[in-house]
Amino acid sequence: MSDAVQRDALKRLAAEQAVTLIQSGMVVGLGVGSTAIFAIRRIAELLASGELRDIVGVPCALRVEEEAQRLGIPLTTLEEHSQVDLTIDGADEVDPQLNLIKGGGAALLREKIVAQSSRREVIVVDEAKLSPVLGTQWAIPVEVVRFGWGAQARWIASLGAEVALRRQPDGEPLTTDQGNYILDCNFGPIADLTTLATQLSLRTGIVDHGLFLGLATDLIVAGADGIRHIQRPAS
């Protein structure tokens, strides 16, 4: 078995472990990414078999909405259900305090809105995503409005980041579901996450950023030694 096939098998097992936390009648956030899609498929299987009933999903991206509809998962909105019982999502990088960098799939804005509305935010990753300090492996995606995006890029660079506009394979700028651009901002290992998150949040023209601090309640990790489930200590 190749490393890629083995990694996918572990991701699937971890995602299916996360799905065991779902109970009938729940409102479930449907996350984005290669690991989260395994969870969505498993939810659809359990609904089809009758093992889960009366589940409604809140998708974190248009492509997730389309896949959930294709699989027969009933969908809802945060206007209809302002409280999400449990969200299953992925992450690009996770530190020991369960802080995250997200946005590799260009859905960070919707993902954060759903995470903030969730009683339980379950993050599923393979062990390669674990990091001692956020920024060690991954740049921070920052979603910006298209007007004046270059000014935002220069300002973020002044904070010490290498900044690149995310582009599609044809070279055109990638646009999010909201029609915004993404700047990938490489700060290297970040010593003060809270200060940086605050600076980015306060800047006009920045819609949101990929630092998800204090939002994850559970981490399910797929690794060579199997599946680990880590929970954030109660505050």
Side-chain angles (χ1 to χ4, degrees), residues 23-27 47 52-56 74:
Q23 299 176 8
S24 293
M26 279 187 169
V27 179
L47 284 170
L52 281 178
R53 300 179 306 281
D54 302 320
I55 295 293
V56 289

Side-chain angles (χ1 to χ4, degrees), residues 14-23 42 46 52 86 88 220:
E16 291 179 356
Q17 175 70 26
V19 173
T20 65
L21 302 174
I22 298 174
Q23 299 176 8
R42 181 59 177 161
L46 294 174
L52 281 178
L86 184 147
I88 299 175
I220 297 179

Side-chain angles (χ1 to χ4, degrees), residues 39 59 68 72 79 99 135 157 159 168 198 204 215 227:
E79 286 66 49
N99 294 313
L159 300 180
Q168 303 178 78
T198 300
T204 300
L215 289 171
I227 308 299

Side-chain angles (χ1 to χ4, degrees), residues 143-219:
E143 186 163 343
V144 297
V145 297
R146 289 197 266 184
F147 176 80
W149 71 265
Q152 310 311 332
R154 289 189 291 274
W155 179 78
I156 296 170
S158 77
L159 300 180
E162 295 180 4
V163 181
L165 176 66
R166 191 178 301 182
R167 296 184 181 275
Q168 303 178 78
D170 63 4
E172 289 298 309
L174 181 145
T175 55
T176 68
D177 287 347
Q178 285 68 44
N180 299 316
Y181 288 163
I182 295 237
L183 302 175
D184 289 309
C185 306
N186 187 354
F187 286 89
I190 303 163
D192 190 338
L193 294 170
T194 301
T195 295
L196 179 58
T198 300
Q199 288 176 306
L200 294 172
S201 296
L202 290 175
R203 175 78 175 182
T204 300
I206 290 178
V207 181
D208 212 333
H209 54 80
L211 288 173
F212 282 52
L213 309 183
L215 289 171
T217 60
D218 298 71
L219 178 67

Side-chain angles (χ1 to χ4, degrees), residues 30 37 43 51 54 70 75-76 115 125 137 140 203 208 214:
L30 305 176
I37 193 63
I43 292 167
E51 293 177 67
D54 302 320
R70 186 185 71 79
L75 298 179
T76 188
V125 297
Q137 302 182 50
I140 300 172
R203 175 78 175 182
D208 212 333

